[in-house]
Amino acid sequence: MSYEIMLKRIYAPIEDHDGTRVLVDRLCPSGLSPSLLALNEWYPEIAPASQLWRQYRQQKISKSLFLERYRRELKACHDKLLPLMRFARAGRVTLLTAAREIEDSHLPVIKELALSALEEEDASDRELCSSPCLAHILPISHH
């Protein structure tokens, strides 16, 4: 199955095709009320830990180290992806951030890991499985 997860700055115009709009920053952008942002959800729990984000913003760690640590942070707490996965199964999701450069933010990591988790879940749903106790009644092909 194919899922649509879009990435966008919170300051970009609100569009009908945004689908479910989810702010994934720890803090609401200053000067903006959540009610004016047309958010369906504000999900600060999935944002990078405050200390990790601060180290990156203050250029104490590189982008690659920030992304690696954040990826580890999310993988260690896989349940954080579940709400986004539910939204993605229902239709298009737009992840929102106040970060100036989306590609340098945490959004691509969230998208990558959510899509990967959805793919894994779909693959496990396709695996055939039957109870061993039914083996005696299942037809056996002798071709």
Side-chain angles (χ1 to χ4, degrees):
M1 191 165 193
S2 178
Y3 301 98
E4 286 186 276
I5 299 178
M6 313 307 291
L7 309 179
K8 193 172 182 178
R9 286 197 74 215
I10 194 73
Y11 305 105
I14 298 164
E15 298 172 300
D16 291 337
H17 66 272
D18 282 346
T20 302
R21 293 171 50 87
V22 183
L23 176 61
V24 290
D25 286 348
R26 195 160 296 281
L27 302 172
C28 192
S30 58
L32 294 177
S33 161
S35 60
L36 298 175
L37 301 173
L39 297 177
N40 296 99
E41 188 75 32
W42 177 16
Y43 190 33
E45 296 86 4
I46 200 164
S50 297
Q51 181 181 1
L52 177 61
W53 188 243
R54 198 174 313 109
Q55 289 174 334
Y56 177 56
R57 300 281 295 164
Q58 294 172 352
Q59 299 179 340
K60 292 180 179 176
I61 60 173
S62 67
K63 175 184 174 183
S64 61
L65 188 55
F66 163 73
L67 295 175
E68 177 189 325
R69 287 180 180 172
Y70 180 54
R71 191 173 276 110
R72 257 188 291 165
E73 194 178 290
L74 276 184
K75 285 182 177 180
C77 211
H78 185 72
D79 288 355
K80 286 185 177 184
L81 294 170
L82 293 177
L84 298 178
M85 292 167 65
R86 278 193 290 276
F87 290 135
R89 288 196 183 285
R92 177 179 285 178
V93 177
T94 299
L95 302 179
L96 302 161
T97 183
R100 281 181 173 51
E101 299 294 329
I102 289 176
E103 290 308 312
D104 290 338
S105 75
H106 57 297
L107 269 61
V109 175
I110 296 172
K111 177 180 178 176
E112 169 200 329
L113 293 180
L115 289 173
S116 176
L118 285 160
E119 196 175 292
E120 282 178 34
E121 206 173 72
D122 289 349
S124 71
D125 287 348
R126 285 191 296 270
E127 289 178 15
L128 295 178
C129 58
S130 65
S131 171
C133 63
L134 296 178
H136 70 282
I137 60 171
L138 294 175
I140 298 173
S141 176
H142 296 288
H143 295 254

